[in-house]
Amino acid sequence: MKENQFKKWEDLDITDDFIFSRVMRNKRLCRTLLEMILKVKIGKIKFLTSHHAIRVEPNAKGIIMDVYLKDENRVINVEMQTSNQGDLARRARYYQAAADIDTTPKGSEYEDLKQNYVIFICTFDLFHKGKPSYTFQNLCLEHGEPIYLDDGTTKIFLNTTSKELDNLDLELRLFYDYMKGNNAQTNFTKELDATISRMKQEKEERNMYLTYTSRMMEFRRDGYEEGISIGLTQGIERGTYKTKLETAKKLLARGDSPAEIADLLSLSVSQVQELKNS
């Protein structure tokens, strides 16, 4: 996306990085989406925002992740992709390596590495086979039956334009339908849609988007590839302490829990609770 290609605020939807990253800050929605895609139970989510952008060493290529999180067993990066630049396969490889380095403390054993997932939600068919998803794991080529390397890495590329959806669970199938711009039909997509509608009515969110577009231009000039991290939107959102409190009040009025708001804004639960009781 070039500098003059940022969409108008009114035209944004779930397929846009900014909206997707902001909506996925809702842990319930994020967990639901991940469980639909991975077909596993996701534990307690912790968003990895210690680095707004990841650069594994000063001269290495920097990356900015859309939705970057972990639970007890996994580290997961989910990216929204609306254009094919021809580099997604190698980008996935780099993202997984960077996430391993970022989440593995010095002195750890290799067995401490978590299951590492990179998920690209694509509004195009990357492999031109018509399949709704393509899942890749490392396996041996010299044996008739698959021998999986079992290194804990998985790369998944969704193709939301696929028409071969019969084998998908109904919830995921209707999420694909929603991604195509059709009406929300499930509780999950209806909540996504309602959340986006609320966001687009809030002046603060609009201002945050304007700040985001400016920051993205800065990141590109600094050599970071395209993308927006939850950490970046969180950093933009924080601002001054006064802004945090104002944002917390709005989130309380929206019905978010004090614990979720405290996590989002780096406030203590007691601070948020005090606002709620005031």
Side-chain angles (χ1 to χ4, degrees):
M1 186 182 291
K2 304 299 183 186
E3 291 191 9
N4 61 351
Q5 289 182 323
F6 285 112
K7 285 185 181 179
K8 292 180 179 178
W9 173 248
E10 295 76 16
D11 297 332
L12 298 180
D13 58 31
I14 190 63
T15 65
D16 295 288
D17 284 346
F18 179 83
I19 293 291
F20 182 66
S21 298
R22 296 289 294 130
V23 169
M24 287 297 107
R25 279 299 294 179
N26 182 313
K27 290 183 180 179
R28 184 180 62 260
L29 292 176
C30 186
R31 179 179 292 106
T32 300
L33 179 60
L34 292 176
E35 290 181 347
M36 283 178 3
I37 294 171
L38 298 178
K39 297 181 175 61
V40 297
K41 192 73 175 172
I42 299 296
K44 184 177 180 181
I45 287 175
K46 177 181 171 77
F47 292 117
L48 299 172
T49 55
S50 58
H51 301 90
H52 296 169
I54 298 175
R55 192 186 289 278
V56 294
E57 69 95 24
N59 295 318
K61 180 179 180 61
I63 59 175
I64 307 170
M65 296 181 176
D66 280 6
V67 181
Y68 180 39
L69 59 95
K70 68 177 180 179
D71 70 358
E72 292 86 346
N73 304 306
R74 308 166 189 86
V75 57
I76 303 171
N77 171 223
V78 190
E79 301 286 318
M80 183 65 67
Q81 293 292 325
T82 58
S83 63
N84 183 8
Q85 303 298 321
D87 63 355
L88 285 190
R90 298 203 177 213
R91 187 188 296 190
R93 165 184 160 185
Y94 194 81
Y95 280 17
Q96 285 191 316
D100 275 341
I101 293 170
D102 187 54
T103 59
T104 307
K106 184 177 180 180
S108 299
E109 301 293 337
Y110 291 118
E111 64 186 20
D112 296 328
L113 287 167
K114 292 179 177 290
Q115 296 287 316
N116 189 326
Y117 291 87
V118 169
I119 302 168
F120 286 103
I121 302 175
C122 302
T123 60
F124 53 88
D125 187 352
L126 182 61
F127 301 99
H128 309 290
K129 301 295 183 183
K131 301 301 180 185
S133 65
Y134 304 88
T135 301
F136 295 87
Q137 294 179 334
N138 292 322
L139 55 84
C140 178
L141 301 179
E142 286 84 15
H143 199 272
E145 295 182 5
I147 301 175
Y148 289 93
L149 185 59
D150 194 24
D151 62 351
T153 63
T154 302
K155 302 172 184 68
I156 300 172
F157 302 84
L158 302 188
N159 165 28
T160 62
T161 65
S162 175
K163 295 184 170 115
E164 299 180 17
L165 304 180
D166 291 345
N167 291 329
L168 294 185
D169 293 339
L170 180 61
E171 287 276 345
L172 187 56
R173 188 159 70 241
L174 292 176
F175 171 70
Y176 276 44
D177 197 53
Y178 178 68
M179 285 282 297
K180 293 171 186 172
N182 295 317
N183 291 334
Q185 301 181 58
T186 65
N187 289 338
F188 173 65
T189 54
K190 286 177 182 177
E191 189 172 358
L192 280 180
D193 205 50
T195 302
I196 293 170
S197 295
R198 283 197 304 268
M199 283 176 54
K200 293 177 76 172
Q201 296 301 314
E202 295 178 10
K203 183 177 179 181
E204 230 173 72
E205 293 283 354
R206 181 189 180 102
N207 290 340
M208 195 189 307
Y209 177 64
L210 296 176
T211 305
Y212 150 71
T213 59
S214 175
R215 291 290 302 278
M216 281 305 303
M217 294 175 197
E218 292 174 15
F219 273 122
R220 291 172 196 168
R221 285 193 292 269
D222 291 342
Y224 287 92
E225 65 183 38
E226 189 168 334
I228 174 68
S229 68
I230 282 178
L232 178 55
T233 56
Q234 181 181 8
I236 293 169
E237 182 182 54
R238 285 176 182 168
T240 65
Y241 181 69
K242 181 179 177 182
T243 301
K244 289 185 186 183
L245 296 183
E246 291 171 352
T247 303
K249 289 177 182 177
K250 291 188 176 182
L251 294 176
L252 283 169
R254 192 171 74 178
D256 290 15
S257 74
E260 288 179 336
I261 296 169
D263 179 57
L264 177 64
L265 299 177
S266 291
L267 294 169
S268 69
V269 175
S270 61
Q271 286 174 311
V272 180
Q273 194 65 50
E274 184 177 344
L275 286 173
K276 184 176 182 180
N277 296 334
S278 62

